[in-house]
Amino acid sequence: MTKGKINVSVDNIFPLIKKFLYSDHEIFLRELISNASDATLKLKHLNKLGEAKVDYGSPKIEVKIDKKAGKLHIIDQGLGMTKEEVEKYINEVAFSGAEEFIDQYKDKLEDSGIIGHFGLGFYSAFMVSEKVEILTKSYKDEPAVHWSCDGSPEFTLETCDKKDRGTEIILHLDKDSKEFLEEARINTLLNKYNKFMPVPIKFGTKEETLPLPEGADKDAKPETKTVDNIVNNTNPAWTIPPADLKDEDYKAFYRELYPMQFEAPLFQIHLNVDYPFNLTGILYFPKLNNDLNLQKDRIQLYQNQVFVTDNVEGIVPEFLTMLRGVIDSPDIPLNVSRSYLQADGAVKKISSYISRKVADKLNSMFKDDRESFENKWNDVKVVIEYGMLSDHKFFEKAEKFALYPTVDGKYYTFEELQEKVKPHQTDKDDKLVLLYASSIEEQHSYIEQAKAKGYEILLLDSPIVSHLIQKLESSQEKLSFVRIDSDHIDNLIKKEDTTISKLSDDEKSNFETLLKKQISEDKYAVQLEAMDSDAPPFLITQPEFMRRMKEMQQTGGGGMFGMGNMPEMYNLVVNTNHELIGKILGTKTEAKQQRLIKQGVDLARLSQGLLKGEELTGFISRSYELIK
Ligand code: ADP
Ligand code: MG
């Protein structure tokens, strides 16, 4: 028997392991199963290369709880280790640099919770164990060995009589880690980290109902058989060539990934690249609503089919983090902090590759089946619009397929839209004016008026649309977006002035004085206009600029204009050509004039939803008085 000291440059690595890697004890199981999987796959390769001549069979990994003895076993049928190999790989761990390394990274380490990538994977077993044993028999014709270590740097190593090839790790769980003797806890962990690992993992057994033999009595009780309970899918969809997958396969895999999501995804993008970096994955576009904060299920990051994290910040472009799915890449450095990650060249390439792939896919969907793409537009537009705002390369690509829906359910690309409206919606200064509404319900009367003029009205209702509009306007000269309720229809697209005012300047200023007694001037800016006599006498509009700035401020980004909280500001437009205005001016007593003005202004406020509470109650009883 060999006795010795694990070759560590510090006196005792174990307190270090426990202290600095404390945050995420549970990953010990992931690490040990990863080692078991590596050992199994290594043997497979050696066999293929003819370097090992063994009966590979159909190896699996087994996780076993021995509750009575307080032990957890992880057993594999992989290549095993000879005595020399245990000495080399286990005893002389990459420990020499460990203390230094942990010292250097301790701030970043604490929340990363990642240790396997420091070559400390096996030793994570000591986070939960007071003693760890290895029983291992190499595929080479050499005696099996038994290694044991009680958490101090001292270990024992001796030959033993293990017969079958492979390695068994036995953890004697310490008193703080008894949770890992619970079946449910282990199940949760296997489901989280190992659900898609490439080697079958057995955890206990289950009863399987056998099909009834042919011609059997219908009432016969089907027989059951005890079979291995395999917890993982060894061939998840992302590892299969896209050509071999049908749409149903992708949908089935989505359900496997997110069992709690009942709604099927709209479509998916299969990522597959091996140069200059290695990455596979599937990104799903779920049906997204307009609430950007409500997207819960996240993209999962794997490395060689082992789950690492569902925080893909920095790796996936931010606008795509609303998607779902998996990304698997061994090339993402994870043993570093997030801020470093974002600056890392390889990671940047990965991020822009993903962005490009998504743009290409959307473009080909648009080209191949425009109608179906249009049908999906409202469910995916948030992602695309967000992408256009935050990623200029994506913006350029998206110009080809980004759609602008109208209130009549038509969809234009930006180019088509401009062509279509140019003859009708160019104002007297040669500026192209694009009209839009944010709600068909709320802006109904404005929409009707614009339609009557033959204008095309877009329906832009996503939460970040004000930012996007701003961006589009700045990308092109002589272009402006105007919301349908931001002014009277005749003012939205100013053509040559033709209407002559029926009121003299004196009458106008007279009326203005009367009006200002009725309204609060820091909320309403009065605007007297000579419009068609059939246009309403009073009209409340919200100026495009003010409203847009306010919206942008609410969805972030307003700060860049250095503004405080923007007040609500409205225009009160008076149509000086309307009969009622003339009538008010001709009315005898001022009290009566004021009553008429108040009623008129309140009607305008009512149509904008601005009349509420006590004022609304007052308005209604006054109106009853009038019709009595
Ligand atoms: P890493 O997996 O990053 O190499 P670990 O500390 O997890 O680091 O493991 C160290 C080494 O011990 C492995 O590289 C492997 O050579 C050996 N090893 C660990 N577990 C097993 C196992 N179950 N079967 C065979 N070899 C193993
Ligand atoms: Mg390992």
Side-chain angles (χ1 to χ4, degrees):
M1 170 162 130
T2 311
K3 280 191 164 207
K5 250 184 141 182
I6 293 165
N7 191 6
V8 193
S9 68
V10 280
D11 276 349
N12 196 339
I13 188 73
F14 300 111
L16 266 178
I17 289 177
K18 292 208 176 197
K19 193 168 168 208
F20 289 115
L21 307 171
Y22 191 80
S23 63
D24 229 352
H25 276 181
E26 63 178 38
I27 57 94
F28 80 92
L29 189 62
R30 174 187 79 187
E31 292 303 323
L32 296 179
I33 293 179
S34 297
N35 286 349
S37 170
D38 286 351
T40 310
L41 296 177
K42 276 180 199 164
L43 184 65
K44 186 180 181 176
H45 290 307
L46 290 176
N47 224 12
K48 228 193 230 158
L49 296 172
E51 284 186 30
K53 293 195 169 57
V54 295
D55 176 19
Y56 182 66
S58 41
K60 56 180 175 269
I61 297 166
E62 181 171 7
V63 179
K64 232 164 47 182
I65 295 174
D66 181 348
K67 211 164 181 171
K68 255 212 219 111
K71 293 191 291 189
L72 192 65
H73 300 245
I74 294 103
I75 306 155
D76 70 59
Q77 297 158 10
L79 86 178
M81 286 179 274
T82 63
K83 191 166 182 240
E84 286 68 40
E85 285 164 342
V86 173
E87 281 172 341
K88 184 167 165 201
Y89 296 128
I90 303 294
N91 293 342
E92 290 189 28
V93 220
F95 265 174
S96 45
E99 188 200 23
E100 198 185 82
F101 189 90
I102 291 178
D103 255 358
Q104 191 180 341
Y105 284 106
K106 61 174 171 253
D107 303 334
K108 293 163 183 168
L109 265 172
E110 248 167 334
D111 69 322
S112 81
I114 287 150
I115 73 168
H117 314 271
F118 307 145
L120 286 176
F122 170 72
Y123 278 90
S124 66
F126 286 97
M127 297 195 301
V128 296
S129 315
E130 53 189 27
K131 180 174 160 188
V132 178
E133 294 177 79
I134 305 174
L135 292 162
T136 182
K137 180 163 171 49
S138 167
Y139 72 98
K140 297 169 188 162
D141 191 19
E142 284 193 40
V145 286
H146 177 202
W147 178 92
S148 173
C149 178
D150 65 0
S152 71
E154 264 107 61
F155 68 88
T156 63
L157 181 62
E158 57 192 328
T159 54
C160 71
D161 64 354
K162 180 176 164 58
K163 292 276 175 322
D164 34 352
R165 183 194 69 227
T167 302
E168 173 165 4
I169 310 283
I170 306 170
L171 309 181
H172 299 251
L173 295 171
D174 62 33
K175 63 176 191 326
D176 297 331
S177 306
K178 298 295 184 204
E179 63 190 280
F180 300 113
L181 292 171
E182 301 301 329
E183 200 175 309
R185 180 76 168 112
I186 296 298
N187 246 327
T188 309
L189 291 182
L190 292 172
N191 195 45
K192 177 170 175 189
Y193 293 107
N194 310 102
K195 199 173 171 180
F196 299 115
M197 284 194 65
V199 179
I201 300 166
K202 172 186 173 185
F203 184 48
T205 57
K206 63 179 179 191
E207 295 303 310
E208 210 172 69
T209 315
L210 296 171
L212 284 172
E214 239 177 90
D217 191 345
K218 263 200 257 93
D219 301 325
K221 237 178 121 184
E223 278 187 64
T224 61
K225 190 175 84 173
T226 307
V227 294
D228 289 350
N229 177 39
I230 302 297
V231 299
N232 54 331
N233 167 6
T234 55
N235 289 305
W238 82 83
T239 63
I240 300 171
D244 297 345
L245 293 167
K246 295 199 187 62
D247 204 46
E248 300 99 82
D249 301 322
Y250 285 110
K251 293 218 164 80
F253 180 61
Y254 184 79
R255 282 194 299 277
E256 213 178 320
L257 265 183
Y258 306 108
M260 305 307 278
Q261 282 290 342
F262 298 110
E263 203 159 17
L266 297 164
F267 56 90
Q268 65 281 327
I269 299 169
H270 200 134
L271 307 167
N272 199 338
V273 57
D274 44 34
Y275 184 81
F277 49 82
N278 205 304
L279 179 134
T280 49
I282 300 175
L283 292 180
Y284 290 95
F285 271 72
K287 239 182 144 130
L288 292 171
N289 57 25
N290 276 348
D291 187 348
L292 300 176
N293 301 317
L294 239 159
Q295 323 298 343
K296 275 182 307 238
D297 277 317
R298 309 205 282 179
I299 298 173
Q300 303 177 356
L301 177 66
Y302 288 74
Q303 289 200 332
N304 296 320
Q305 295 174 238
V306 183
F307 173 81
V308 180
T309 175
D310 60 4
N311 179 0
V312 293
E313 186 192 323
I315 298 157
V316 170
E318 204 203 329
F319 73 97
L320 294 175
T321 54
M322 285 181 272
L323 306 189
R324 305 210 175 102
V326 294
I327 284 178
D328 188 336
S329 173
D331 292 338
I332 297 169
L334 289 163
N335 49 351
V336 291
S337 72
R338 290 272 150 193
S339 52
Y340 178 84
L341 201 60
Q342 278 166 10
D344 185 83
V347 174
K348 266 196 192 141
K349 277 202 195 98
I350 288 177
S351 174
S352 63
Y353 162 80
I354 294 174
S355 166
R356 199 171 68 236
K357 271 301 268 207
V358 170
D360 290 347
K361 168 84 181 187
L362 292 168
N363 195 30
S364 69
M365 282 171 65
F366 171 74
K367 282 204 307 216
D368 295 348
D369 186 350
R370 176 154 177 171
E371 195 185 328
S372 137
F373 188 74
E374 288 180 357
N375 289 334
K376 294 185 177 101
W377 178 258
N378 280 315
D379 296 316
V380 301
K381 65 179 180 218
V382 195
V383 178
I384 298 174
E385 288 170 356
Y386 192 14
M388 290 171 77
L389 270 175
S390 55
D391 180 334
H392 74 273
K393 280 204 180 126
F394 187 83
F395 180 87
E396 280 165 19
K397 292 205 162 218
E399 278 197 308
K400 288 205 204 89
F401 58 77
L403 292 178
Y404 298 83
T406 71
V407 291
D408 305 314
K410 282 179 278 179
Y411 290 84
Y412 295 109
T413 64
F414 200 55
E415 213 180 282
E416 290 164 355
L417 178 69
Q418 294 189 78
E419 277 312 303
K420 166 92 191 178
V421 305
K422 207 186 256 163
H424 232 70
Q425 295 179 214
T426 304
D427 73 5
K428 62 180 174 17
D429 303 318
D430 210 24
K431 197 173 195 174
L432 190 66
V433 182
L434 300 174
L435 300 178
Y436 69 101
S438 62
S439 157
I440 294 185
E441 284 278 286
E442 283 166 33
Q443 291 147 10
H444 185 265
S445 64
Y446 299 91
I447 292 172
E448 288 306 307
Q449 286 174 37
K451 271 191 194 167
K453 290 238 173 209
Y455 294 154
E456 201 68 64
I457 306 133
L458 301 175
L459 180 63
L460 302 178
D461 58 1
S462 61
I464 47 174
V465 84
S466 46
H467 295 266
L468 185 62
I469 285 173
Q470 198 76 11
K471 184 166 172 116
L472 288 165
E473 281 179 352
S474 65
S475 72
Q476 197 174 320
E477 268 177 54
K478 294 208 176 275
L479 171 74
S480 75
F481 280 83
V482 182
R483 203 167 91 175
I484 202 81
D485 57 349
S486 56
D487 207 338
H488 182 263
I489 185 72
D490 292 334
N491 294 336
L492 291 179
I493 306 176
K494 277 224 188 270
K495 309 276 175 76
E496 294 310 325
D497 284 329
T498 46
T499 334
I500 308 151
S501 180
K502 286 185 188 166
L503 297 190
S504 69
D505 287 353
D506 269 359
E507 285 172 315
K508 277 191 203 162
S509 86
N510 235 341
F511 192 82
E512 203 169 338
T513 320
L514 283 172
L515 188 61
K516 283 188 174 163
K517 289 185 187 162
Q518 279 294 338
I519 55 159
S520 128
E521 276 185 79
D522 35 279
K523 215 170 161 198
Y524 295 99
V526 172
Q527 208 175 298
L528 299 186
E529 305 246 355
M531 301 189 288
D532 283 347
S533 54
D534 56 355
F538 296 101
L539 188 73
I540 287 170
T541 59
Q542 198 172 19
E544 175 73 18
F545 176 77
M546 296 291 274
R547 201 206 67 252
R548 200 191 292 176
M549 289 303 139
K550 206 168 162 65
E551 280 173 5
M552 287 174 73
Q553 197 177 41
Q554 276 157 2
T555 47
M560 60 191 166
F561 302 101
M563 290 179 297
N565 229 347
M566 300 260 306
E568 290 281 356
M569 266 304 274
Y570 298 94
N571 284 341
L572 175 58
V573 185
V574 178
N575 178 6
T576 53
N577 285 354
H578 195 278
E579 203 191 326
L580 180 67
I581 307 301
K583 197 176 151 196
I584 293 172
L585 280 168
T587 299
K588 293 260 155 48
T589 67
E590 188 174 333
K592 219 169 172 190
Q593 283 179 319
Q594 290 297 357
R595 260 214 316 280
L596 289 169
I597 290 177
K598 182 153 182 62
Q599 193 72 3
V601 172
D602 278 357
L603 276 166
R605 292 169 72 199
L606 188 69
S607 77
Q608 271 282 31
L610 291 170
L611 201 59
K612 291 186 188 123
E614 204 180 319
E615 288 189 309
L616 182 58
T617 315
F619 169 80
I620 290 170
S621 48
R622 233 185 308 124
S623 301
Y624 279 130
E625 283 304 313
L626 280 171
I627 58 175
K628 246 190 348 208

